Amino acid sequence: MATTIEQPSRDADRTKAAILFAAQQIFAEKGFAEAGVRDITALAGVNPSLVSRYFGGKLKLFEAALDAALDPRLMTDLPKENFGKLIVARFADEGDRVSPLPMMFRAAGDSEARAITARLLRDRVFEPLQIWFGGEVAAVKAARFMMVSLGFFAYRDQLPLAEFAGPIEPSLRAWLESEFQAIVDD
């Protein structure tokens, strides 16, 4: 009896996860304005009506997809004493996680999606980093972290430089590790 009660919930969770992952991919590829609910649901292999049912529409789906991609624990669960080395490894060697940067860049043309992006960046990245850094200059450290990170992801994902294709050139990697560590140590 318990299996039949749990099954619909597990199916709904899998369906929502498939929609979110497909939305992340489509919003990253096409941007908010060009992405269609039908594109997303076709990739997820589900009925388009499920977007409204589970998320309330395209804008709310964008918010949920970006929110899921912005996981502050990717940064704040690392020890401060080895942060530079570990964050570069996490950024450079990440697996199949969809980068939020293309979604954010391509949302800039839509005022509602841009407002969601700005709010989520503050709530999900800046503020958790500020708390994690702590101290009088925590906001400055969080801003520095975001600027260096943006540069890395912009030149790896959006305006690709050969030095970021595949393994990062060792001296460049060492410099990047040092810059991230300096943000923590200063």
Side-chain angles (χ1 to χ4, degrees), residues 84-167:
K85 186 178 222 52
L86 295 172
I87 197 66
V88 170
R90 188 161 277 176
F91 284 173
D93 307 329
E94 65 186 28
D96 63 348
R97 193 174 85 78
V98 175
S99 171
L101 189 66
M103 285 189 284
M104 293 185 301
F105 274 178
R106 292 189 175 105
D110 181 272
S111 62
E112 290 177 305
R114 186 175 56 248
I116 288 169
T117 299
R119 179 179 47 78
L120 288 176
L121 271 176
R122 174 156 293 282
D123 294 350
R124 299 280 288 148
V125 179
F126 185 82
E127 289 177 3
L129 279 171
Q130 188 176 359
I131 291 165
W132 185 78
F133 284 124
E136 291 180 27
V137 294
V140 171
K141 288 182 176 191
R144 287 175 58 196
F145 175 87
M146 291 177 73
M147 286 188 285
V148 174
S149 300
L150 177 64
F152 172 81
F153 285 109
Y155 289 116
R156 188 193 70 180
D157 298 338
Q158 299 300 293
L159 304 166
L161 292 176
E163 290 76 9
F164 288 111

Side-chain angles (χ1 to χ4, degrees), residues 33-70:
E34 296 296 319
V37 169
R38 291 191 186 281
D39 298 327
I40 293 164
T41 56
L43 183 60
V46 301
N47 187 301
S49 68
L50 293 176
V51 168
S52 291
R53 178 178 177 184
Y54 291 133
F55 299 99
K58 180 180 163 183
L59 190 62
K60 289 290 189 185
L61 175 58
F62 173 78
E63 182 174 5
L66 184 56
D67 185 54
L70 293 171

